Amino acid sequence: MGLSMASHILSAGYSLTVFNRTPSKARPLIDRGAVLADSPLAVARASDVVFLIVGYPSDVRRASLDPESGVLPGLSPGSVLVDMTTSDPSLADEIYAAARSLNCSSVDAPVSGGDSGARSATLAIFAGGDEATVLRLAPLFRCLGTVRYMGGPGAGQRTKLGNQIVIASTMVGLVEGMMYAHKAGLDVGKWLEAISTGAAGSKSLELYGKRILDRDMQPGFYVHHFVKDLGICLKECQTVGLALPGLALAQQLYVSLMAHGEGGLGTQALILAIERLNNTSLEKKLSE
């Protein structure tokens, strides 16, 4: 996702300094004029605005706060760190406070839309922090998708966690419905078409229904990253004393994929967990 997002920034005419832990992955950007830095700190020293999108909260902490190589120690006063990783709201609060102590700003701005949204610059961006800072960055956000200001620090992350809760239960419903249609003897492809324009239609059905039928488990969003997100959701629920049984069930089903070594597949691989529970496969039906 970061490659596509950075490419849009370049296309809009901005100068760009980039860092990736695997430098070869930045080659397409370098070939278009971006400058490769050797650390997040070096990116910050060369930039007014730093966008960060990594995997886990531990990566966010290291890339932003590490005193030897992180972004914040390298920022000049008035500069901004924008973290677009789905991460822990409490960490967003911590980064915001650290940035303010340096006379800088931070925005937590996780995104929804996956790889296709990143490529087409149609990401939904949920922003938390100071509203004036988010407004100032609006031209940059427009290069990536549609930004919505959600409130103070951490509000962007909490919005994204709510988004993930909805997606998790929607995906369970999608694959369970597909399994029922299969066992009931229906043409699952025709069934998906039939329900897609009614109340059961969803973005998940649109993005993943055909992929599941085609046994295309390539990741638009990795299972192991989704397990991370749902784990943060459950932690937040515990903090506020909230019981969400649908979320807990979805998380357990996705964890079962991890146990089978399927963390590198896309989230549509949830069908594999439901197939194992029922000792059947949509693939067998298709090949008959």
Side-chain angles (χ1 to χ4, degrees):
M1 289 179 66
L3 177 63
S4 296
M5 295 161 73
S7 179
H8 296 315
I9 298 290
L10 271 177
S11 296
Y14 293 96
S15 60
L16 190 66
T17 302
V18 298
F19 169 78
N20 192 289
R21 287 173 291 191
T22 307
S24 61
K25 292 184 178 180
R27 176 50 56 188
L29 300 172
I30 307 307
D31 291 343
R32 292 184 54 198
V35 175
L36 181 65
D38 62 4
S39 68
L41 177 72
V43 172
R45 285 175 173 165
S47 307
D48 299 313
V49 180
V50 178
F51 288 94
L52 176 68
I53 184 163
V54 290
Y56 293 84
S58 58
D59 300 317
V60 173
R61 177 176 294 280
R62 184 165 51 251
S64 59
L65 296 173
D66 188 281
E68 302 296 328
S69 62
V71 169
L72 285 183
L75 287 180
S76 301
S79 298
V80 185
L81 168 61
V82 182
D83 178 25
M84 307 191 86
T85 313
T86 301
S87 184
D88 193 321
S90 64
L91 179 55
D93 292 338
E94 183 180 346
I95 292 170
Y96 177 85
R100 288 198 67 179
S101 72
L102 298 170
N103 293 315
C104 298
S105 301
S106 75
V107 174
D108 51 288
V111 301
S112 182
D115 59 335
S116 61
R119 288 194 301 270
S120 61
T122 56
L123 292 168
I125 305 166
F126 314 121
D130 294 329
E131 187 172 12
T133 302
V134 174
L135 291 173
R136 179 158 60 93
L137 298 178
L140 288 167
F141 284 130
R142 279 196 294 271
C143 297
L144 309 175
T146 301
V147 65
R148 289 175 174 81
Y149 177 68
M150 303 307 298
Q157 293 295 350
R158 293 183 176 92
T159 301
K160 177 61 185 291
L161 295 180
N163 178 86
Q164 300 303 75
I165 292 168
V166 172
I167 289 174
S169 291
T170 301
M171 285 295 293
V172 173
L174 173 61
V175 298
E176 286 189 345
M178 292 179 73
M179 181 58 66
Y180 169 77
H182 163 73
K183 290 290 284 186
L186 298 175
D187 181 313
V188 181
K190 288 183 179 179
W191 175 81
L192 285 169
E193 291 177 10
I195 71 166
S196 65
T197 57
S202 68
K203 197 70 174 178
S204 293
L205 188 156
E206 176 187 333
L207 290 175
Y208 299 120
K210 188 175 186 303
R211 289 194 199 185
I212 290 170
L213 283 181
D214 293 342
R215 310 304 288 186
D216 176 6
M217 303 299 168
Q218 289 301 306
F221 191 68
Y222 288 110
V223 164
H224 65 83
H225 282 158
F226 201 42
V227 168
K228 174 263 297 185
D229 292 356
L230 299 185
I232 296 172
C233 290
L234 289 169
K235 177 184 174 185
E236 279 286 292
C237 288
Q238 185 174 18
T239 298
V240 301
L242 185 63
L244 297 181
L247 166 64
L249 171 61
Q251 196 257 4
Q252 286 297 300
L253 290 170
Y254 275 106
V255 167
S256 78
L257 294 177
M258 297 278 289
H260 281 84
E262 294 159 347
L265 300 180
T267 51
Q268 68 273 26
L270 185 63
I271 189 65
L272 303 178
I274 300 301
E275 288 176 340
R276 278 191 284 263
L277 282 173
N278 290 283
N279 193 31
T280 189
S281 170
L282 269 65
E283 187 174 28
K284 294 177 183 177
K285 181 75 173 180
L286 293 170
S287 64
E288 289 174 358

